[in-house]
Amino acid sequence: MRISRRVRFESTQLVAPHQLSVMARLEDRALTPRELAGIECVSPPSMTRTVSGLVERGLVARQDDPLDGRQVFLSLTAFGLLTLKETRRKRDAWMASRLRGISAEEREVLVRATEILTRLASE
Amino acid sequence: MRISRRVRFESTQLVAPHQLSVMARLEDRALTPRELAGIECVSPPSMTRTVSGLVERGLVARQDDPLDGRQVFLSLTAFGLLTLKETRRKRDAWMASRLRGISAEEREVLVRATEILTRLASE
DNA sequence: TATTGTTATACTCTATAACTATA
DNA sequence: TATAGTTATAGAGTATAACAATA
């Protein structure tokens, strides 16, 4: 937890973590607010609020669904995509500077640990 | 981050994470609100609030410093210590059930990764 | 009548600024 | 005058309940 907190605070200053997570979901394809709320395990009103913040900042765009007037599609703007990539670049640069001081053998241990934990988390 | 979130939500239901962290600091010795605020990287008013919640629930006790009337010492109550141990027990049980399915060799990888990350986080 | 999204309202955790009491 | 703690107030992020529009 301490390590996770450190990574969050030192590497994701451009956009808040929960906002960045939503942006990453929209990278591949447009989603509705309801879909995003489900994916992020958050209530629909909460997602409305998160999305509104992103729309105000020009990172995400709303588009009405022509087939179903109740629905809205959300997608990344060009600026949003750029911001997402820049944030990742900064995070990776921070992490790379940390990893520079360790041996190849230690890096291999971290890679293997990541695989194991990812498997455990998905069970 | 995903793994850290999962551990928090599934294993620390008795007391909120930031409250539990304060309780763990008080396990060994009494501390003042200011010391706690510094350790937890939080503002003094924020610590006042966190501590007040713990005092109201009977988990932590306030004691006036007889030498300096401005200061207050905070310590775990017997109930607080019990709650801390019970929370750890639940968390460990959850984690143990996860780790049961992996090999001794994989567990060793996780132990080594923890050592490496702890070292990197403290630099 | 059911579903999508939003608004209204409230709770928690955080912060800064102002206040009280003590040194 | 400086320090410890608290209170006052505000800003995020979260939730549930109520509402409007559409199916």
Side-chain angles (χ1 to χ4, degrees):
Chain A
M1 284 183 211
R2 190 158 31 88
I3 293 156
S4 167
R5 214 180 302 144
R6 182 89 180 264
V7 171
R8 288 163 72 138
F9 280 91
E10 301 219 23
S11 62
T12 59
Q13 300 291 21
L14 296 173
V15 182
H18 70 294
Q19 291 179 319
L20 193 71
S21 188
V22 165
M23 288 171 67
R25 301 292 182 183
L26 297 176
E27 191 175 14
D28 293 328
R29 62 190 191 84
L31 295 168
T32 67
R34 204 153 207 98
E35 287 171 325
L36 279 171
I39 292 169
E40 296 289 310
C41 296
V42 137
S43 68
S46 191
M47 186 50 68
T48 291
R49 196 184 170 115
T50 298
V51 166
S52 296
L54 291 170
V55 170
E56 277 172 27
R57 291 178 59 184
L59 296 163
V60 164
R62 284 195 179 90
Q63 291 149 318
D64 290 335
D65 181 343
L67 302 176
D68 186 339
R70 295 170 304 181
Q71 282 200 147
V72 176
F73 283 118
L74 303 168
S75 58
L76 276 188
T77 61
F79 176 54
L81 183 59
L82 200 73
T83 301
L84 179 61
K85 287 183 176 172
E86 174 61 12
T87 303
R88 282 185 179 141
R89 195 192 60 72
K90 285 194 177 182
R91 182 190 63 194
D92 291 350
W94 179 84
M95 189 54 88
S97 76
R98 293 270 133 189
L99 296 181
R100 201 160 293 138
I102 75 175
S103 69
E105 195 271 334
E106 286 177 323
R107 263 195 290 275
E108 179 56 26
V109 169
L110 295 182
V111 169
R112 287 218 50 213
T114 302
E115 290 165 0
I116 295 167
L117 289 171
T118 300
R119 201 185 73 224
L120 290 176
S122 68
E123 276 173 7
Chain B
M1 283 183 211
R2 189 156 33 87
I3 293 156
S4 166
R5 216 180 301 144
R6 183 88 180 264
V7 171
R8 288 163 72 136
F9 280 91
E10 300 217 23
S11 62
T12 59
Q13 300 291 20
L14 297 172
V15 181
H18 71 293
Q19 291 180 318
L20 193 70
S21 186
V22 165
M23 288 171 67
R25 301 293 183 183
L26 296 177
E27 191 176 15
D28 294 328
R29 62 188 190 86
L31 295 169
T32 66
R34 206 155 207 95
E35 286 171 325
L36 280 172
I39 292 169
E40 295 289 311
C41 295
V42 136
S43 68
S46 191
M47 186 50 68
T48 290
R49 195 184 171 115
T50 298
V51 166
S52 296
L54 291 170
V55 170
E56 276 172 27
R57 291 177 59 182
L59 297 162
V60 164
R62 283 195 180 90
Q63 291 148 319
D64 290 336
D65 181 344
L67 302 176
D68 185 339
R70 296 170 303 182
Q71 281 201 148
V72 177
F73 283 118
L74 303 167
S75 59
L76 275 188
T77 62
F79 176 54
L81 183 60
L82 201 73
T83 302
L84 179 60
K85 288 182 174 171
E86 173 62 12
T87 303
R88 282 187 179 140
R89 195 194 60 72
K90 286 194 177 180
R91 183 192 61 194
D92 290 350
W94 179 84
M95 188 56 87
S97 76
R98 293 270 133 188
L99 296 180
R100 200 161 293 140
I102 74 175
S103 69
E105 194 270 335
E106 286 177 323
R107 265 194 290 274
E108 178 56 27
V109 169
L110 295 182
V111 170
R112 288 219 47 215
T114 301
E115 291 164 359
I116 295 167
L117 288 171
T118 300
R119 202 184 72 224
L120 290 177
S122 68
E123 279 173 4

